[in-house]
């Protein structure tokens, strides 16, 4: 059963900012090396293609959005956050590791650690 497309994701496809192409899987590793850019449609695509089908944790996409806000605050308003920068860097490192895991295991479709852990309780 095919799931309906997110309206924002569909809009990005219709506008040509997200396109399907045969060499995409082969180019993913190279694209990761040059992906030091932030785009609205990238966030939308990650949500639609990875978060919604539970292949990527939401915290990574939310972290990208927060990082963009940190950068804009620094660039446009001269507001800097050392703590925010360190948190963003840590999240970016974890995101890259997770992205590499998804590239190496493209069929990885369940986020195992997003379920609450069960604790054994004694009566």
């Amino acid at each position: 059963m095919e799931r309906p497309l997110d309206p924002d994701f569909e809009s990005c496809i219709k506008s040509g900012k997200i396109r399907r192409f045969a060499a995409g899987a082969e180019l993913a590793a190279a694209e990761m090396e040059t992906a030091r850019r932030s785009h609205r449609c990238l966030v939308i695509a990650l949500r639609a293609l990875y978060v919604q089908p539970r292949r990527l944790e939401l915290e990574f996409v939310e972290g990208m959005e927060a990082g963009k806000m940190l950068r804009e605050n620094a660039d446009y308003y001269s507001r800097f956050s050392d703590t925010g920068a360190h948190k963003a860097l840590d999240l970016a490192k974890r995101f890259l590791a997770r992205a590499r895991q998804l590239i190496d295991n493209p069929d990885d479709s369940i986020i195992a650690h997003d379920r609450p852990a069960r604790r054994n309780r004694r009566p």
Side-chain angles (χ1 to χ4, degrees), residues 1 4 8 17 32 61 82 89 93-94 98 109 111:
M1 181 174 162
D8 288 329
K17 294 183 179 180
M32 283 191 57
V61 178
D82 191 51
L89 183 59
K93 288 176 183 177
R94 292 189 301 116
R98 181 71 176 117
S109 61
I111 300 171

Side-chain angles (χ1 to χ4, degrees), residues 3 6 14 20 26 28 42 47 59 61 63 65 70 74-75 78 81-82 84 86-87 93 97 99 112 118:
R3 68 179 191 271
D6 174 278
K14 286 180 181 177
R20 195 176 283 202
E26 295 172 21
L42 174 61
R47 283 181 185 269
E59 74 172 312
V61 178
E65 292 173 315
L70 285 170
D75 286 352
S78 296
S81 169
D82 191 51
H86 285 288
K87 284 182 180 179
K93 288 176 183 177
R118 290 186 177 189

Side-chain angles (χ1 to χ4, degrees), residues 5-19 40-41 44-45 48:
L5 288 179
D6 174 278
D8 288 329
F9 182 62
E10 192 170 14
S11 173
C12 288
I13 291 172
K14 286 180 181 177
S15 70
K17 294 183 179 180
I18 295 177
R19 290 179 245 170
R40 178 180 169 272
C41 286
I44 291 168

Side-chain angles (χ1 to χ4, degrees), residues 63-122:
M64 289 176 72
E65 292 173 315
K68 181 178 183 244
M69 192 179 328
L70 285 170
R71 182 194 57 79
E72 289 173 352
N73 284 340
D75 286 352
Y76 303 123
Y77 307 109
S78 296
R79 292 186 207 138
F80 302 93
S81 169
D82 191 51
T83 302
H86 285 288
K87 284 182 180 179
L89 183 59
D90 177 61
L91 189 66
K93 288 176 183 177
R94 292 189 301 116
F95 173 74
L96 285 174
R98 181 71 176 117
R100 286 186 185 106
Q101 182 183 21
L102 286 170
I103 289 169
D104 292 341
N105 303 295
D107 295 326
D108 183 18
S109 61
I110 302 293
I111 300 171
H113 59 276
D114 73 347
R115 290 183 232 110
R118 290 186 177 189
R119 294 184 181 194
N120 293 331
R121 295 184 182 183
R122 295 181 183 212

